[in-house]
Amino acid sequence: QVQLVESGGGLVQDGGSLRLSCAASGSFFSISVMGWYRQAPGKQREQVAILMSGGDVNYADSVRDRFTISRDNAENMVYLQMNSLKPEDTALYYCNAYAQISRELWREYWGQGTQVTVSS
């Protein structure tokens, strides 16, 4: 099993910055994709940014040029630097990872989420 623990959320003013962190732990061989998703009240969960183990990155259009995802493969950590935050970025942010837990089995895991609130 793999556990994902997020940290770094909080309350920030419009235009402010936050840095989210996610630590992966447990029993696994490797992790391919790590990323961040978010869900605002009354809305569906949406992808924010994902980072492949090879370095390819994909951002949602709404956060491109404001958010930066990075990863420490040695420590099994993924980060999300969020700049120029807007009230519409308010959501519960989830860490996501695809981990190889046996020779031929990959599974998707989710963290419990960290709240980001941007006040206007």
Side-chain angles (χ1 to χ4, degrees):
Q1 291 295 327
V2 177
Q3 294 79 44
L4 301 177
V5 179
E6 304 101 334
S7 61
L11 174 64
V12 65
Q13 289 187 335
D14 191 353
S17 298
L18 284 174
R19 186 185 192 225
L20 305 183
S21 300
C22 173
S25 63
S27 179
F28 54 90
F29 291 100
S30 64
I31 295 178
S32 61
V33 181
M34 294 191 82
W36 293 93
Y37 290 70
R38 68 186 181 186
Q39 187 168 18
K43 295 187 177 181
Q44 289 188 331
R45 189 175 298 188
E46 63 174 354
Q47 179 181 294
V48 176
I50 59 172
L51 177 54
M52 313 298 181
S53 58
D56 290 340
V57 179
N58 187 38
Y59 291 102
D61 289 342
S62 59
V63 307
R64 196 183 311 277
D65 299 327
R66 298 188 297 122
F67 291 10
T68 303
I69 188 171
S70 60
R71 181 170 170 176
D72 183 337
N73 290 326
E75 297 294 330
N76 295 310
M77 298 282 296
V78 65
Y79 306 94
L80 186 68
Q81 178 64 44
M82 306 185 294
N83 298 328
S84 302
L85 282 161
K86 305 174 181 180
E88 51 263 45
D89 294 317
T90 295
L92 190 60
Y93 283 70
Y94 295 92
C95 180
N96 172 271
Y98 282 88
Q100 184 181 12
I101 60 172
S102 69
R103 187 171 182 175
E104 296 181 354
L105 182 61
W106 291 79
R107 282 188 178 168
E108 182 180 25
Y109 294 90
W110 293 91
Q112 293 199 343
T114 185
Q115 179 67 38
V116 171
T117 302
V118 184
S119 63
S120 57

